[in-house]
Structure formats: C-alpha cells, structure tokens
Amino acid sequence: MHRLTLAIVAAAMVAVARPAAATINVVTSIPDLADVTRHVGGDLVEVKSLATGVEDIHAVPMKPMYAVTLNRADILVVLGLEAEHAFIPGLLEASRNPKIQRDASGYIDASVYIQPLEVPTRLDRSLGDQHPMGNPHYNLDPVRMKDAARAIAEGLAKNDPAHEATYKQNLAAYLVTLDAAIARWQQEAAPLKGKKLVSYHPDMIYFAERFGMEAVGTIELRAGVDPTPSHVEDLEKMMRETNVNFVVRELHYPAGLADTIAQVTGATLVQLPVMAGGLPQTQDYIAFIDYNLRTMLNAQSGGT
Ligand SMILES: [Zn+2]
C-alpha cells in the first residue's frame, strides 16, 4: 500500500516535471501580429513581439537582446512588404538561427495574401522611399488582417503539420470574432463617411479606405522624408481649399507641426497609435482598432 502510494506520487511528479506538449516559440515583429498569432496558435504556441507598439515601424532599434530572442525562436512572423527593413534583416543575421531565415519555413510573411495599396510604378530608392513594395501599413485594416491571420495559420501548420486541424479551427473561430467586430465598426463609422484626413506619415490609407474616409495628403514630403516649408505651405493651401476635416498625428511623430497645421487650416487634430500595444487600452488587436475608431468618432462629434 505504502509502496503503491509512493509509486503514484512519483508518477505524478514526472507528469508535472514534463510539460504536456512542447510549445512552439514564436516571435513577431509587432504586437498586432503577436495577438493574431496567439489566437491562431492557441496553447500550442508561446508568442512574443519584438516591438512594443510605441515605435515607428520604420525605425525600431536593433537591440542586442532582440538577437538573443530570435536565436531561440522556432518561428518569426513579419508584416512583410519591407515594413521591417530597419531592424529585421540585421537582427536575422545576428540571430544565427537557420530556422527563421527568409527562405526557411520558420519565416512567416503575413503579407502573402495582401493586396497592397500605393505600389510604386517606378522603384527609386535614392528618393529615400520607405515603401518600396507598396504601402505596408495594412495592420490598420481589419479586413486585410483576416488575410494575414490566414497566412499565419498556414505558416504554423507548415511548421507543425500534426496540429494543422487545430490551427484551422482556431483561425475559423478568430475570423468569426473579427468579422463581428468589423460589422460593428462599419456601422459605427457611418458619421465618418466622406471625411478627409491628412496624416504625418502615409500610414492611415488602409484605415481611411476601410471606413469610408479619404487620406488626401501627408505632412511628410514622402514616406520617410521630412517636410519642407514649401510643402507645408502647399499642404495647408490644399487643406483649406478642399475642407480637410482631420490632421492625424501618429503618436511617434512630433506634435508641434501637426498641431500648427490643424490650427492654421481649421482641421481637428487627432492623435492615434498605428500599432497595437502602443497604449494601455490597445493591448490586443481588436481593442486597438476600437480605440482608433472611437477616437476618430469623438473628434468628429466635437469631443476629444
Ligand atoms: Zn510607412
């Protein structure tokens, strides 16, 4: 009897010591992708994002710690379309991890099913353009993020074929949740229809298009190129003539110029994060889109 009890205790300890199943270690470039990957991967994955959501995706610093994180990763998920040019290529090299290099199965490009906007007809990197493959800020469009979720589910299944059915099921469940949110957002966004906005960087185009608004210009001269006085003058003239409603200041860009342009032209200044995780109330993807839409609607109705 005593011996039997001991045997049971020993068996239980082994069961506790050994994890139920080895989880897959996934690293994503930005928090939006981490949240989607957590939904699609469920308890089969452990997910961590490199960026926290407060950074400019075109200028995320290459911290040595990130190379260590990537060295231990089984899978890397990126937004793609060269969005992470500032940090991912360098960190991948430093990671010395063959599993997640660009041509390996552990490299999941979430943009493979995305139809990008603003694809340049002529590629000229000498102009300093940050969007050589088209506009990469599709994370602000919840409908395109459904395509990203599909790419992530397929990527996970490719790396872990034994659980393909689970990833498909999790994806289907997440898409139901996201579709319900999209239907609600599209109703709520009705007062924004036809409204015009200018943003600091060309990162609001997908959001604007999805919710019936028009992104008509940027404070930057081009993506990644600082404004010149004559550009600002032309922009203000255009904004007055066409009655632009909003100036969007993304939280990682300077406030002063955006504020001045809004005041001079009579537009309303709206301050928004452009990635999930940038604010305490935008920790998951749906909460992030919720926050941005609510903030825009408050600005439209004259609130703050
Ligand atoms: Zn950009």
Side-chain angles (χ1 to χ4, degrees):
M1 171 70 184
H2 194 201
R3 199 174 289 171
L4 182 61
T5 308
L6 274 180
I8 290 169
V9 170
M13 281 176 67
V14 169
V16 168
R18 193 196 301 156
T23 51
I24 300 171
N25 185 6
V26 183
V27 175
T28 69
S29 57
I30 65 169
D32 313 54
L33 297 173
D35 184 51
V36 174
T37 306
R38 277 186 200 109
H39 281 96
V40 174
D43 51 13
L44 296 169
V45 298
E46 194 66 52
V47 188
K48 189 180 175 154
S49 170
L50 293 179
T52 60
V54 300
E55 305 91 337
D56 170 1
I57 195 169
H58 298 297
V60 176
M62 285 203 280
K63 296 184 185 164
M65 186 185 77
Y66 291 165
V68 177
T69 302
L70 285 178
N71 176 263
R72 295 170 187 159
D74 299 308
I75 289 172
L76 168 67
V77 183
V78 297
L79 204 55
L81 301 173
E82 305 288 329
E84 294 99 342
H85 61 92
F87 66 120
I88 291 294
L91 287 171
L92 269 179
E93 206 180 322
S95 77
R96 298 168 184 242
N97 182 350
K99 283 195 283 190
I100 57 165
Q101 299 297 318
R102 206 166 180 142
D103 296 324
S105 63
Y107 182 98
I108 300 179
D109 180 345
S111 75
V112 286
Y113 297 121
I114 302 292
Q115 298 282 327
L117 298 173
E118 299 180 330
V119 177
T121 47
R122 185 175 68 93
L123 187 58
D124 188 350
R125 283 177 198 273
S126 66
L127 294 174
D129 201 328
Q130 289 178 333
H131 297 170
M133 312 283 291
N135 193 307
H137 299 281
Y138 66 82
N139 60 307
L140 282 139
D141 175 6
V143 173
R144 280 185 174 81
M145 278 300 266
K146 290 168 57 178
D147 289 335
R150 183 155 64 99
I152 292 169
E154 287 179 8
L156 292 176
K158 196 172 165 192
N159 284 272
D160 179 22
H163 292 109
E164 185 177 0
T166 307
Y167 296 127
K168 274 191 176 157
Q169 243 169 25
N170 292 348
L171 170 68
Y174 185 58
L175 293 186
V176 167
T177 308
L178 199 49
D179 272 334
I182 290 166
R184 174 169 58 83
W185 289 327
Q186 279 177 335
Q187 277 189 346
E188 289 171 356
L192 298 173
K193 208 154 196 87
K195 304 294 175 195
K196 300 189 184 95
L197 68 86
V198 157
S199 53
Y200 202 100
H201 180 78
D203 46 19
M204 289 302 294
I205 181 168
Y206 294 103
F207 184 90
E209 190 194 53
R210 184 58 57 202
F211 296 117
M213 304 177 76
E214 286 177 65
V216 295
T218 60
I219 296 176
E220 280 185 331
L221 191 57
R222 279 189 305 279
V225 181
D226 286 340
T228 58
S230 72
H231 169 68
V232 171
E233 206 173 293
D234 291 347
L235 182 72
E236 288 172 346
K237 185 166 180 284
M238 177 279 284
M239 287 175 67
R240 277 198 219 93
E241 285 170 0
T242 61
N243 296 315
V244 172
N245 309 82
F246 303 107
V247 175
V248 173
R249 198 271 291 189
E250 304 86 335
L251 297 180
H252 55 280
Y253 284 108
L257 185 54
D259 192 22
T260 305
I261 292 173
Q263 282 185 19
V264 164
T265 63
T268 304
L269 180 70
V270 188
Q271 314 202 55
L272 298 177
V274 290
M275 289 192 264
L279 292 170
Q281 59 271 53
T282 63
Q283 292 305 302
D284 70 69
Y285 181 69
I286 287 178
F288 158 61
I289 298 295
D290 248 338
Y291 177 87
N292 278 8
L293 193 56
R294 214 169 47 240
T295 307
M296 198 67 102
L297 284 163
N298 282 342
Q300 168 62 20
S301 65
T304 47

